[in-house]
Amino acid sequence: MALLHFGWFLGAGFGVQGWGDPSYGIGYDWRQPPVYQDAARAFEANGFDLFIIEDGVTVPDTYGGSAEVNLAAARFVPKHDPLPLVPYLLGATSRLGIVPTLSASFYEPFTAARLLSTLQHFAHGRLGFNVVTSGSDLAAQNYGLDKQVEHDLRYDRADEWVDVVRKLWRSWEPDAILEDVENGVYADYRKVHTIDHDGRFFKVRGPLNTAPAPEDPVMVQAGASGRGRDFAGKNSEVVLALASTPERMREYRDSIREVAVANGRPADSLKVLFVVQPIITANAEETATVTLARSELTQAAIDEQLQSISYLTGIDFKTFDLDAPLPALTTNSNQGTLDNFVRSAPEGSTLREILATRAKKDGLAIIGTADEVADRLGELGEAVGGDGFLFTGQVHPANVHRTLDRLVPALRRRGLIRTELGNGGLRQNLLDF
Ligand SMILES: Cc1cc2nc3c(=O)[nH]c(=O)nc-3n(C[C@H](O)[C@H](O)[C@H](O)COP(=O)(O)O)c2cc1C
């Protein structure tokens, strides 16, 4: 079987890890770096390429107009800023790619270019950044806006944002720093240039005032809508993707690669990594028990699904009758996420049926023994045509070890995961195969 890339997507961000698990808080404090450092070391030792950390900037109160469910269940909040965590993760590892999330809507391109350039020096080429456009109005209201900018316009703006950030990274020629002690010249002024960018959304003079990084951080993105896919295919080197069937995975990967080619990039210059949640059991009996427990549509499970989709789409799903079909819905927030949600059950299904189907099918979860899950990942990888997977789940120690200690040996036996990471940086590791 062909080698695949593996990574971990920390969907809870630098937030509460393991709330509700019997081992919550035992031997770790989610507010401190060590639990993430331990996870990063485990990922590196197991041959993972990268560790991506989600982020968001709101206390969600869309569901039922209240933050009660989110705060009680520690869903999406509280959460720390992932950027200060990055140096701790870099310090704990030597080859793993570290990828914080950063909002193109709320970081000025100069601020982002400067921060990322600084971190890339620490990272020796191991830094990536997950660019998001932050669809939520709640987020926009923390940054002086009443509403978030219209969906496609956000991407137009993000396109220009990427362009400006990259121009700033080029504002120093690679050999601008001379450190010529004899002649007393630190840097050659002829090799440091203003960018004089004057575009539709940004006006930036430049140059950047950091020293040039050895190479650009790797750009990661998760566009799901048509416009989002265009953005990802044009700009990204890694695309994070959600899709529940091999057919949808293949369609998604093919479409992103087509956009890349249309933009003059080799299709293999970007890797589409699908997010999955492996749940490793000891035997068939445990698989049946876990599957049953996860598919039960309890009130807590309904609230869990609805708070999440309400936050991600900005639509209060508490206002809909559970036993009626949903009205036609559009959102200015995560349109792709809304489409996936609505499409999870046949047209005309009631909201309760959609929730029940999602609980049963659970698009992300792959439940089984280590050998069964490894086989499934191998089959999916082959059906999709590559490139690999991001495991998701919280990084409380019990979860990381429950997953990796059993699954990675099974992946190795099948030749699906690399045994060692190269030390040429994240981009090089991604391009190895
Ligand atoms: C796996 C995955 C991870 C994502 N991580 C974040 C994140 O950390 N922060 C965020 O604001 N949005 C995140 N998003 C949302 C995406 O950036 C994007 O808005 C979403 O996929 C919808 O696509 P669209 O904007 O093209 O409609 C994520 C999406 C996916 C699928």
Side-chain angles (χ1 to χ4, degrees):
M1 278 186 184
L3 272 175
L4 295 167
H5 295 276
F6 288 88
W8 193 282
F9 173 65
L10 180 55
F14 184 0
V16 183
Q17 309 293 319
W19 181 245
D21 189 282
S23 62
Y24 171 74
I26 299 176
Y28 71 96
D29 176 353
W30 74 263
R31 288 158 283 220
Q32 302 294 331
V35 64
Y36 309 90
Q37 292 178 304
D38 288 346
R41 282 189 205 98
F43 300 151
E44 180 167 279
N46 280 286
F48 283 27
D49 289 41
L50 70 172
F51 181 15
I52 306 176
I53 303 147
E54 178 269 3
D55 195 27
V57 286
T58 65
V59 174
D61 60 5
T62 311
Y63 181 49
S66 158
E68 180 182 352
V69 169
N70 294 79
L71 288 170
R75 289 292 181 266
F76 299 114
V77 279
K79 178 175 291 175
H80 290 180
D81 190 315
L83 283 173
L85 185 61
V86 170
Y88 286 93
L89 300 180
L90 292 170
T93 51
S94 60
R95 298 184 174 201
L96 181 72
I98 304 294
V99 184
T101 295
L102 196 108
S103 174
S105 296
F106 305 131
Y107 275 82
E108 285 291 322
F110 191 90
T111 312
R114 188 163 188 254
L115 264 170
L116 293 170
S117 169
T118 305
L119 288 172
Q120 179 72 323
H121 279 276
F122 304 171
H124 295 288
R126 290 196 285 134
L127 186 72
F129 62 114
N130 175 30
V131 184
V132 298
T133 61
S134 308
S136 155
D137 286 343
L138 300 176
Q141 286 156 13
N142 290 332
Y143 292 87
L145 302 171
D146 293 327
K147 281 177 75 61
Q148 185 45 288
V149 172
E150 191 271 322
H151 179 272
D152 286 9
L153 194 63
R154 267 197 332 265
Y155 276 111
D156 293 347
R157 190 175 174 282
D159 253 329
E160 192 181 322
W161 185 94
V162 171
D163 187 35
V164 178
V165 166
R166 287 185 170 152
K167 276 191 200 166
L168 285 165
W169 285 336
R170 307 274 164 286
S171 63
W172 288 57
E173 293 182 37
D175 55 353
I177 292 186
L178 303 175
E179 289 178 320
D180 179 348
V181 177
E182 243 161 65
N183 294 303
V185 180
Y186 184 79
D188 182 348
Y189 74 99
R190 288 164 298 196
K191 296 189 169 173
V192 181
H193 311 284
T194 58
I195 66 167
D196 299 312
H197 178 89
D198 190 359
R200 185 169 163 212
F201 301 97
F202 300 104
K203 192 168 179 193
V204 182
R205 180 171 184 268
L208 201 60
N209 64 345
T210 54
E215 57 179 298
D216 288 357
V218 169
M219 183 174 147
V220 177
Q221 213 270 332
S225 61
R227 182 66 185 87
R229 291 183 194 203
D230 282 347
F231 177 77
K234 181 176 163 205
N235 297 302
S236 303
E237 297 167 85
V238 173
V239 179
L240 319 184
L242 291 179
S244 50
T245 64
E247 296 72 34
R248 284 191 191 156
M249 289 182 179
R250 186 167 197 113
E251 183 274 323
Y252 183 84
R253 179 170 180 269
D254 289 350
S255 77
I256 295 272
R257 286 162 64 89
E258 271 168 34
V259 180
V261 171
N263 281 280
R265 307 173 62 198
D268 288 331
S269 65
L270 68 78
K271 305 291 172 189
V272 181
L273 304 181
F274 290 93
V275 177
V276 294
Q277 184 179 17
I279 299 175
I280 308 300
T281 61
N283 49 41
E285 196 187 339
E286 194 188 346
T287 303
T289 312
V290 172
T291 307
L292 185 67
R294 290 176 65 92
S295 67
E296 267 179 82
L297 201 59
T298 57
Q299 186 56 44
I302 292 174
D303 279 339
E304 169 62 24
Q305 284 203 53
L306 291 185
Q307 65 76 23
S308 173
I309 193 67
S310 297
Y311 168 60
L312 294 172
T313 61
I315 298 169
D316 181 3
F317 274 72
K318 200 157 196 170
T319 58
F320 301 128
D321 181 349
L322 278 172
D323 295 306
L326 283 171
L329 294 172
T330 55
T331 176
N332 185 39
S333 188
N334 297 312
Q335 184 62 48
T337 311
L338 175 62
D339 294 343
N340 278 336
F341 179 86
V342 173
R343 284 195 313 175
S344 5
E347 223 180 310
S349 299
T350 65
L351 177 54
R352 194 188 299 278
E353 285 162 350
I354 292 178
L355 297 176
T357 313
R358 288 176 69 84
K360 276 210 193 73
K361 272 209 225 135
D362 197 341
L364 288 182
I366 304 181
I367 308 170
T369 63
D371 281 319
E372 287 166 349
V373 173
D375 278 340
R376 181 75 188 130
L377 289 171
E379 286 158 18
L380 274 177
E382 224 158 83
V384 175
D387 300 299
F389 297 98
L390 294 166
F391 295 164
T392 191
Q394 301 186 359
V395 294
H396 63 99
N399 189 40
V400 171
H401 290 290
R402 257 194 313 247
T403 309
L404 300 191
D405 295 355
R406 291 188 273 182
L407 181 53
V408 172
L411 292 171
R412 280 214 180 152
R413 286 196 294 277
R414 289 161 180 75
L416 289 170
I417 190 166
R418 67 203 308 167
T419 49
E420 209 182 338
L421 280 171
N423 66 358
L426 175 57
R427 180 171 293 107
Q428 186 54 55
N429 282 334
L430 290 166
L431 293 176
D432 276 350
F433 51 88

